[in-house]
């Protein structure tokens, strides 16, 4: 019997989860160890900022770090200069929430792209706690803490409700981290469920469930008395947003492609939008949860090669699917370009204020490749064509955005002749620096398989 070849992709820890692991470890009392940490620049930004606050963080080996926690926000030292958050929206927004509880002022800044992103929305997370925030015309640099947070001690036990008015995990997490240094009971509510890593990790470290994500209520409650955080010994599970590229790679590969397997992967339902969309598009995949780690489901993802004569199918996304696949929507646009029928994505306005305007970046790049795509205010309309392939030489812009760069690297699978070059593809270093090497190996495997099948034929 013919066995389908298998291609195994090891993945480093999820970026969102690992940022949070470093932050909670810094707040804990004692020594924590965080393992399976990849080389992405965004995580280096979080480590750099925490070090500037006096947290000792040391490399144990290539992929593990030890963190000596300072026992709470009061244990941080006043940084001598602005904290550099690089390109990382998660670093700046989560730390802004956390550091709003400092008795001294802290300035947070980053690269040009980060400074252009909206920061005044953080007011929604901070003002119910009586904490102020200064922005530079709505963007970074921002200043929190010090005199902006004069009301750090409260005698009353009044319940504070924070409505983030959005499905934003960065905003929700900023509110929760700010709430850690407030002695009142706090409820953080959101309009739709965004990724819930902060509440899972905090619940696991405190040993009590904080979130209520039943359909009527999307809220997380912090008690008045905040227990001290326990130190952690944590192996970060693989990043589903990195696995997502492999789902797209498999979908755009020829039917004789290998089965792709990814172990030790985070299978948090709030991150798996692309899994369900891909399955509706006709991609065969299977997720097996094997364990729970600091509140996160972890397991294996298997992506089977496409069946012959079964084109991808267009999809329409619900509002919740847009949130669950937020960072993967550029990949949805790419896959939709090769699907039978029209795909409409709406309700994704947030994509305009990510590392680039992802709505325009994908529209511009895919149109350049001849795809029938038009942008709307909050998404795309894409007329797919399963027969589409590119046979010219093209140059597309990454707009300095790691996810856009990787999307177009994957589009190269549909290149029959010529060359598809991506301007500033190196920006993928911020999240998945290991990608190019693994992708080259995969394409070499495809080449081998196609040579063997030609010989057999
Ligand atoms: C993230 C939340 C998301 C996501 C980002 C990472 C996080 O942003 O796009 O890449 O780690 O909390 P939102 O704030 O829009 O949810």
């Amino acid at each position: 019997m013919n066995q389908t070849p298998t291609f195994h992709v090891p993945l480093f820890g999820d970026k969102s989860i690992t940022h949070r692991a470093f932050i909670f470890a810094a707040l804990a009392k004692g020594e924590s160890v965080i393992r399976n940490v990849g080389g992405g620049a965004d995580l280096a930004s979080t480590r750099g900022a925490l070090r500037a606050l006096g947290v000792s963080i040391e490399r144990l080996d290539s992929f593990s770090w030890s963190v000596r926690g300072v026992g709470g926000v009061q244990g941080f030292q006043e940084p001598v200069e602005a904290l550099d958050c690089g390109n990382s929206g998660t670093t700046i927004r989560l730390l802004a929430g956390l550091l709003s509880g400092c008795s001294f002022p802290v300035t947070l800044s980053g690269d040009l792209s980060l400074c252009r992103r909206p920061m005044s929305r953080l007011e929604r997370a901070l003002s119910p706690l009586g904490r102020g925030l200064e922005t530079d015309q709505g963007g970074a640099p921002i200043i929190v803490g010090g005199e902006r947070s004069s009301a750090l001690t409260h005698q009353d036990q009044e319940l504070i409700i924070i409505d983030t008015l959005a499905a934003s995990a960065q905003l929700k997490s900023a509110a929760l981290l700010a709430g850690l240094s407030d002695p009142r009971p706090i409820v953080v509510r959101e309009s739709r469920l965004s990724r819930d890593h902060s509440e899972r990790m905090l619940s696991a470290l405190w040993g009590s469930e904080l979130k209520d994500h039943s359909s009527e209520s999307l809220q997380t409650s912090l008690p008045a008395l905040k227990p001290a955080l326990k130190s952690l010994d944590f192996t970060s599970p693989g990043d589903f947003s990195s696995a997502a590229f492999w789902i797209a790679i498999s979908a755009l590969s020829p039917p004789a492609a290998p089965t792709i397997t990814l172990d030790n992967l985070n299978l948090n339902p709030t991150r798996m939008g692309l899994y369900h969309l891909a399955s509706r598009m006709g991609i065969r995949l299977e997720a097996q949860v094997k364990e729970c780690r600091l509140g996160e489901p972890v397991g294996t993802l298997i992506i089977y090669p496409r069946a012959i004569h079964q084109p991808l199918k267009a999809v329409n996304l619900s509002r919740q699917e847009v949130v669950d696949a937020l960072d993967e929507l550029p990949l949805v646009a790419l896959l939709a370009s090769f699907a039978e029928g029209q795909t409409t994505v709406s309700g994704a306005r947030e994509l305009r204020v990510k590392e680039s305007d992802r709505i325009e970046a994908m529209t511009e790049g895919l149109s350049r490749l001849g795809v029938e795509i038009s942008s709307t205010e909050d998404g795309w309309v894409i007329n797919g064509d399963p027969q589409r392939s590119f046979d010219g030489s093209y140059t597309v812009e990454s707009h300095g955005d790691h996810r856009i760069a990787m999307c177009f690297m994957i589009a190269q699978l549909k290149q029959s002749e010529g060359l598809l070059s991506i301007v500033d593809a190196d920006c993928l270093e911020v999240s998945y620096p290991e990608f190019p090497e693994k992708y080259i190996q995969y394409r070499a495997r495809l080449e081998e398989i196609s040579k063997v099948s030609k010989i057999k034929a």
Side-chain angles (χ1 to χ4, degrees), residues 224-436:
L225 191 67
K226 319 283 185 299
L229 282 166
K230 283 196 295 197
S231 58
L232 39 143
D233 185 337
F234 180 59
T235 302
S236 191
D239 195 329
F240 193 86
S241 292
S242 300
F245 292 106
W246 292 95
I247 296 178
I249 286 170
S250 178
L252 299 187
S253 294
T259 295
I260 298 177
T261 60
L262 304 108
D263 296 322
N264 182 38
L265 184 66
N266 179 232
L267 296 172
N268 180 319
T270 61
R271 295 291 298 281
M272 290 180 65
L274 187 74
Y275 175 89
H276 301 289
L277 289 169
S279 154
R280 275 175 31 214
M281 292 181 99
I283 300 165
R284 249 184 349 118
L285 15 71
E286 204 179 307
Q288 302 159 350
V289 175
K290 297 191 171 151
E291 59 175 304
C292 179
R293 223 179 276 163
L294 271 191
E296 293 287 345
V298 181
T300 299
L301 176 69
I302 306 169
I303 313 159
Y304 296 101
R306 233 162 20 85
I308 305 174
H309 307 311
Q310 275 198 1
L312 295 175
K313 295 187 286 272
V315 274
N316 285 314
L317 282 69
S318 70
R319 290 289 157 125
Q320 186 60 47
E321 280 174 331
V322 165
V323 179
D324 292 346
L326 187 66
D327 288 346
E328 286 66 69
L329 293 176
L331 282 174
V332 172
L334 177 70
L335 292 178
S337 309
F338 301 96
E340 202 166 63
Q342 187 176 77
T343 292
T344 308
V345 177
S346 58
R349 194 190 309 261
E350 216 26 47
L351 290 190
R352 293 203 178 270
V353 289
K354 292 291 176 191
E355 284 82 331
S356 69
D357 177 339
R358 288 183 174 159
I359 294 183
E360 293 312 328
M362 288 308 290
T363 309
E364 176 195 287
L366 288 172
S367 310
R368 211 168 276 181
L369 299 180
V371 173
E372 232 183 277
I373 174 170
S374 53
S375 60
T376 61
E377 206 190 332
D378 60 353
W380 303 280
V381 179
I382 303 161
N383 287 313
D385 176 0
Q387 307 307 328
R388 188 187 312 279
S389 67
F390 315 123
D391 59 1
S393 285
Y394 306 90
T395 301
V396 291
E397 308 281 335
S398 67
H399 293 272
D401 185 327
H402 54 131
R403 301 204 191 278
I404 302 296
M406 287 186 274
C407 267
F408 286 108
M409 282 172 78
I410 293 172
Q412 289 167 337
L413 284 167
K414 288 291 187 180
Q415 186 87 22
S416 49
E417 267 171 54
L419 193 70
L420 168 52
S421 345
I422 300 137
V423 178
D424 189 15
D426 289 350
C427 63
L428 60 80
E429 295 278 325
V430 305
S431 65
Y432 194 1
E434 306 79 20
F435 178 72

Side-chain angles (χ1 to χ4, degrees), residues 45-314:
S45 297
T46 291
R47 284 194 299 271
L50 292 171
R51 281 193 181 118
L53 292 159
V55 181
S56 151
I57 303 182
E58 276 169 32
R59 195 185 260 280
L60 295 176
D61 59 43
S62 309
F63 313 115
S64 312
W65 296 83
S66 80
V67 180
R68 182 168 293 279
V70 295
V73 77
Q74 310 75 8
F76 288 139
Q77 288 163 16
E78 184 169 352
V80 284
E81 50 189 28
L83 302 182
D84 180 5
C85 302
N87 190 247
S88 174
T90 303
T91 306
I92 197 166
R93 296 207 176 103
L94 268 56
L95 289 186
L98 179 68
L99 301 175
S100 69
C102 287
S103 53
F104 46 79
V106 184
T107 304
L108 299 110
S109 194
D111 67 11
L112 266 181
S113 140
L114 189 66
C115 288
R116 276 198 299 260
R117 294 176 66 184
M119 296 297 156
S120 42
R121 56 178 62 185
L122 281 164
E123 279 162 11
R124 280 186 251 146
L126 302 183
S127 64
L129 297 171
R131 299 191 187 173
L133 162 92
E134 273 170 49
T135 66
D136 181 3
Q137 296 172 50
I142 56 180
I143 312 176
V144 292
E147 64 195 17
R148 288 153 210 85
S149 304
S150 48
L152 280 176
T153 48
H154 299 269
Q155 304 304 325
D156 56 80
Q157 283 294 294
E158 177 203 358
L159 172 72
I160 302 295
I161 297 182
I162 305 178
D163 276 308
T164 64
L165 301 177
S168 163
Q170 291 178 350
L171 217 50
K172 171 174 61 177
S173 304
L176 290 169
L177 288 166
L180 289 182
S181 52
D182 189 296
R184 295 169 292 185
I186 294 163
V187 167
V188 179
R189 300 195 298 214
E190 57 185 336
S191 55
R192 257 176 226 290
L193 182 59
S194 63
R195 63 187 70 186
D196 60 0
H197 306 304
S198 300
E199 43 278 49
R200 282 178 189 256
M201 200 174 283
L202 198 50
S203 298
L205 292 172
W206 275 349
S208 66
E209 186 54 84
L210 305 175
K211 60 185 168 59
D212 178 357
H213 292 169
S214 57
S215 51
E216 313 83 64
S217 129
L218 293 175
Q219 62 179 45
T220 306
S221 307
L222 299 182
L225 191 67
K226 319 283 185 299
L229 282 166
K230 283 196 295 197
S231 58
L232 39 143
D233 185 337
F234 180 59
T235 302
S236 191
D239 195 329
F240 193 86
S241 292
S242 300
F245 292 106
W246 292 95
I247 296 178
I249 286 170
S250 178
L252 299 187
S253 294
T259 295
I260 298 177
T261 60
L262 304 108
D263 296 322
N264 182 38
L265 184 66
N266 179 232
L267 296 172
N268 180 319
T270 61
R271 295 291 298 281
M272 290 180 65
L274 187 74
Y275 175 89
H276 301 289
L277 289 169
S279 154
R280 275 175 31 214
M281 292 181 99
I283 300 165
R284 249 184 349 118
L285 15 71
E286 204 179 307
Q288 302 159 350
V289 175
K290 297 191 171 151
E291 59 175 304
C292 179
R293 223 179 276 163
L294 271 191
E296 293 287 345
V298 181
T300 299
L301 176 69
I302 306 169
I303 313 159
Y304 296 101
R306 233 162 20 85
I308 305 174
H309 307 311
Q310 275 198 1
L312 295 175
K313 295 187 286 272

